[in-house]
Amino acid sequence: LDLMSAQTRAADAQERVSTQKNATDLTGFGRQSETLTALKGAQSRIQGFIDTAKAVSARLTTQDLAMGQVSDGIAGLREAVGSVLATDSAGSLMLELEGQFQAIRGGLTTRHHGGYLFSGASTSTSPLNVANLSELAAAPDVASIFDNDTLKTASRVAEGTTLETGFLADELGSEVMEILRDIQIYHAGVNGPLNGKVNAAQKTFLTTQLARLEQAATGVIDKMATTGSMANQVESITRGHQAQLGSLDELVSDRTDADMAVAITDLQLSQVAIQASAQVISQLRQVSLLNYLT
């Protein structure tokens, strides 16, 4: 019995040494099992928030880059129109506007993880259904060129904290698309074309469009600032969650991690006990009544 008991103690000590844990299941922790279950649940919940925050941060980074592309496109439009007003020549204006339209279109149709970023919930549908200025001018109105729905992306990043982090293509691009549509229609109309020396009426028209482009640029920049603010908020929340997770890890570790010095000592003592018991058994095997009878 002593040998079997020593072997059991040795197996227990060996398990603590190899796993560095006091037990391998909740049964082994006895009364502390309920506390450990609660701590593990809190760890899982906070880790879920951290994973969500990482996904949101990645989305916001892509969103900022896409908005930056739209903003750069509007800046290019302003530069092109300003150059015409400064030189009284619109020789390549429409070509430049077409190029900037493509840049803005690229920003509005940016994909993230395979889905369109600014399409709302309809991530498989391109939010913009025109491919050039001619198609834009042919559309009945600007609203008809956008196919995004009205549902913005929202993410729960903490207990009681849900952030609406998404933007829609129509709220980002309607203003600049309206301006481009008006310029294209003007270019193809009786007051056009805008491809040579501009007259007074054309300069007045372009001056008005330049002011509208400045307003459109301000609108996009404001949305970029909102995106940056949300990214900072998500980062701050993530730091708080990581600190909480670290505290929980320490609490769990205090209850589950084995004292290695004690575990090694127990292993050595149990091995000595096994050797002693084995020697006694070996000696008992030699004790026989026949030894006395002879």
Side-chain angles (χ1 to χ4, degrees):
L1 289 175
D2 286 340
L3 178 61
M4 292 174 63
S5 177
Q7 289 174 333
T8 300
R9 293 196 303 272
D12 175 71
Q14 183 63 56
E15 187 172 275
R16 281 184 286 152
V17 170
S18 60
T19 64
Q20 299 184 4
K21 299 293 181 182
N22 288 323
T24 57
D25 54 33
L26 290 176
T27 304
F29 293 105
R31 294 180 179 180
Q32 294 192 35
S33 59
E34 293 183 3
T35 302
L36 288 173
T37 299
L39 290 173
K40 289 289 187 181
Q43 283 180 314
S44 298
R45 186 169 62 256
I46 292 175
Q47 186 61 54
F49 286 139
I50 291 175
D51 293 340
T52 298
K54 289 180 179 179
V56 171
S57 295
R59 180 184 177 87
L60 289 174
T61 299
T62 306
Q63 187 168 286
D64 182 68
L65 292 173
M67 288 181 175
Q69 187 173 343
V70 174
S71 180
D72 291 344
I74 295 176
L77 294 174
R78 293 170 60 192
E79 182 178 351
V81 174
S83 177
V84 171
L85 294 175
T87 61
D88 290 341
S89 175
S92 61
L93 174 63
M94 298 312 298
L95 288 176
E96 292 181 25
L97 295 190
E98 183 69 45
Q100 299 304 331
F101 166 83
Q102 296 300 333
I104 294 170
R105 180 177 180 273
L108 294 176
T109 56
T110 298
R111 289 175 176 264
H112 178 70
H113 289 175
Y116 288 101
L117 192 60
F118 301 118
S119 287
S122 303
T123 56
S124 61
T125 302
S126 175
L128 203 63
N129 58 37
V130 292
N132 51 56
L133 289 178
S134 298
E135 292 183 8
L136 175 62
D141 52 36
V142 168
S144 65
I145 72 171
F146 292 100
D147 291 332
N148 58 270
D149 59 26
T150 59
L151 297 176
K152 297 182 181 180
T153 302
S155 303
R156 186 166 176 260
V157 294
E159 293 287 356
T161 303
T162 300
L163 297 180
E164 190 178 79
T165 56
F167 286 93
L168 302 176
D170 56 356
E171 65 179 345
L172 277 173
S174 288
E175 198 169 1
V176 66
M177 289 299 171
E178 186 75 52
I179 297 169
L180 285 170
R181 182 172 181 272
D182 290 345
I183 294 176
Q184 178 65 26
I185 291 174
Y186 187 92
H187 168 71
V190 295
N191 295 315
L194 296 170
N195 59 4
K197 183 175 178 60
V198 294
N199 55 40
Q202 292 173 335
K203 288 188 66 174
T204 300
F205 171 76
L206 292 176
T207 300
T208 301
Q209 306 316 307
L210 183 60
R212 293 174 66 192
L213 285 170
E214 291 175 356
Q215 293 180 354
T218 300
V220 174
I221 291 173
D222 288 344
K223 291 177 177 60
M224 291 178 67
T226 300
T227 297
S229 176
M230 287 190 292
N232 290 335
Q233 185 177 356
V234 170
E235 183 179 351
S236 176
I237 291 172
T238 301
R239 285 198 299 267
H241 283 153
Q242 289 172 338
Q244 291 180 33
L245 192 60
S247 298
L248 288 171
D249 288 342
E250 290 181 4
L251 290 173
V252 172
S253 177
D254 290 342
R255 289 165 172 78
T256 61
D257 288 358
D259 187 328
M260 296 307 295
V262 173
I264 292 173
T265 300
D266 289 345
L267 179 60
Q268 292 173 342
L269 290 175
S270 61
Q271 289 173 342
V272 171
I274 290 173
Q275 291 175 357
S277 298
Q279 288 177 356
V280 171
I281 292 174
S282 176
Q283 292 174 357
L284 288 174
R285 285 176 177 173
Q286 298 175 7
V287 176
S288 171
L289 185 58
L290 294 176
N291 296 332
Y292 297 95
L293 293 176
T294 58

